[in-house]
Amino acid sequence: PVSRSSVVSMKSSSIRIGLLGCGNVGAALVQLLTEQHESVKRRTGLDLSIEAIAVKDLDKDRSIPLPDEVFTTDSASIVNNPEIDLIIEVMGNIEPARELILQALNLGKSVVTANKELLAAHGAELYSAAENSGVDLLFEAAVAGGIPIVRPLRESLAGEPITQIRGIINGTTNFILSRMSQDGVSFNEALKEAQELGFAELDSTYDVEGYDAGAKVAIIATLAFGVEVTSQDVQHEGISKITVEDIKFANRLGYCIKLLAAAEQKVNENGNSEVGARVYPALVPLSHPLAAVNGSFNAVFVEGDAVGELMFYGPGAGGRPTASAVFGDVIDAAGNLQRSHGALIGALDKPNMISPENLESPFYLNLKVEDQPGVLAQVAEVFGNHGVSIQSMEQEGMGSEARLIFITHSSREKDLFSTINSLNSLSVVSSVDSVLRVIGD
Ligand code: NDP
Ligand code: HSE
C-alpha cells in the first residue's frame, strides 16, 4: 500500500507504546505501524514506537519486524513502566484486560482497545476511570472491525436525536451464512474457514450464538442514546439453528437470512423514553441493501430525526482492517497526549429497557403438518385467534405430511409466541420447525 502524502511537516514528538496481545489484530497493527511510521511522523509529528509487547507464549513465531527482547509475559510490567505513554489492549477476554486497562488509566496513560466483550460488560467503570484521569479510552475497533462507526456516533452525530440503529455487525456469522447460501458450504466447514481467516473469536460460540454482536450493539446503544446499556440488557439469538432448508425456503420467497443487530429508542405510552437492543437472525428481502452485505463485511444503518438514514459499510473483521481502526485511535490518543487533553464520555444513567414481548415484527414460520383436508383452515384459525395476520403462505407436499411456510404481517412477539404454543398443541401440526423475524423493505 502507498502511504499518504505529506500534508504537514512538524517537530516530532516521541510516543512510547505498550502492546498487550500480539495475535491477529496485534501482529497486523505492528506491521501497519512499521509500514506507516515515517508517513505518520511527517503528517502528524508523532514518532510512534512499540516499546514492549505482552503475549502468553514467548516461543510462538509472530513474523513481525521487532526483536525478541520486546516480548514479555508480564503485562503488568508494561502498564506500570513509567517510560510507556500509551497502552493498546488487543488480548481479548474480561480479565486480566479490565484490571490492566484500569491500572493504565489510573496511572494517567491513554488506552486504545478492541475489546467489545469487556466494554459491553464494564464500559461505564472504564469510561469514568478515563474521565477521572483526563485521558483517552478509544475503541473504534470494538464495533464493526475496520468501519468507522464509534467516532461518528461519539463525535459527528453527537447532536443528532438517533432513533434507531440496525445492521450486520458480526463478520464470522455473516461469512458463514454467505458461504452456506451462495456456495452450498456446510455450517462447520464455513466456521472453520472463518477461524482460519482470523475473523472468529477464540471461542467461536461467542460469534455463532450472537454474544459478540450483542456486546457490539450494547456499545452502540450506549453511544447513540447516552445511557448505560450492557451485554446483559441485550436479547440475543444466534445462527446455530438455521438450516440449509431455511436458507433455501427464504431464497424461494425472495429473502436471504442475516444475523441482525438492532437498537432503538422510543417514547412509550406513559411518555417515558425506552431503549431496546437485540440480536436475531432475520429474513431480509433480496432487494434490501443489507442483502448485498456478504462475507466478513458489516453494514450499519443509523436513523436520526434530523439527518435521516446513514449507512456505514466495510470489512467487519480480520486482522488488518481491525488494526487500521486501532491505528486511527492510536494517532488520535497520541495527538491528545501531546496536547495534554483527552476525548471524554460523560456520566451515564441506566435506561428503561423495552419489554421484549411488546416488540413487533413480521415473522417467518416453517411448520410440518398432516396433509389432509381442513388442516390449513385449522392452522389459519389459530393465527386469527391470536390476532396474528398472515401475509403469505406456501405449501410443499412431503408424502403424508406437508410443509407450510407462513410470513405474517407485523405482530407483537407475545401474540406470535402464543400462536406457536397453540399450534404446537394442534394434533395436525407435527412440528413448528423455524421461527424467524422478517425485516421490511
Ligand atoms: P488472538 O487470540 O489472535 O490474539 C490474542 C493475543 O493476546 C495473543 O497474542 C495472546 O498471546 C495474547 N494474550 C491473550 N491473553 C493474554 C494474557 N493473559 N497475557 C498476555 N497475553 C495474552 O485475538 P485477536 O487478535 O483476533 O483479537 C484481539 C482482540 O480484538 C479481542 O478482544 C477481539 O475480540 C478483538 N477484535 C478482533 C477482531 C478480529 O477480526 N480478529 C476484530 C475486532 C475486534 P499468544 O499469542 O501468546 O497466545
Ligand atoms: N469475531 C468478530 C466478528 C471479530 O466475526 O465480527 C470482529 O469484531
Side-chain angles (χ1 to χ4, degrees), residues 114 116 141-145 169-174 194 198-202 206-207 212-213 216 296 298 316-318 322:
K116 57 263 171 158
V143 181
I169 53 175
N170 180 268
T172 301
T173 46
N174 202 50
F199 305 150
E201 301 299 310
L202 212 50
Y206 193 69
D207 292 300
D212 178 81
K216 289 167 179 167
S296 62
N298 285 186
T322 307

Side-chain angles (χ1 to χ4, degrees), residues 96-117:
R98 186 191 70 95
E99 252 182 55
L100 292 164
I101 291 178
L102 272 180
Q103 172 70 356
L105 296 171
N106 291 337
L107 288 171
K109 298 178 193 209
S110 288
V111 175
V112 175
T113 177
N115 195 332
K116 57 263 171 158
E117 184 183 3

Side-chain angles (χ1 to χ4, degrees), residues 20-26 54-58 60 62 73 75 89-93 96 114-116 141-142 145 198-202 212 316-319 322:
L20 309 181
C22 193
N24 292 311
V25 180
V55 290
K56 274 204 289 204
D57 178 358
L58 288 175
K60 226 185 239 179
R62 316 259 164 202
T73 54
S75 307
E89 185 275 308
V90 281
M91 64 205 299
N93 290 322
N115 195 332
K116 57 263 171 158
F199 305 150
E201 301 299 310
L202 212 50
D212 178 81
T322 307

Side-chain angles (χ1 to χ4, degrees), residues 23 25 245 344:
V25 180
E245 196 188 34
L344 311 174

Side-chain angles (χ1 to χ4, degrees), residues 255-287:
Y255 297 89
C256 60
I257 299 183
K258 297 284 183 194
L259 184 69
L260 299 185
E264 61 185 310
Q265 185 174 44
K266 61 182 189 184
V267 176
N268 67 15
E269 60 266 23
N270 303 321
N272 297 321
S273 164
E274 286 185 332
V275 167
R278 56 201 179 123
V279 173
Y280 53 93
L283 271 68
V284 176
L286 291 171
S287 56

Side-chain angles (χ1 to χ4, degrees), residues 399-432:
S400 62
E401 293 197 308
R403 171 82 58 203
L404 297 183
I405 306 291
F406 291 96
I407 304 259
T408 72
H409 284 291
S410 194
S411 317
R412 278 190 309 176
E413 296 206 354
K414 85 170 151 194
D415 298 331
L416 196 277
F417 288 112
S418 331
T419 306
I420 294 167
N421 281 341
S422 302
L423 287 172
N424 276 323
S425 61
L426 271 189
S427 63
V428 294
V429 173
S430 314
S431 55
V432 179

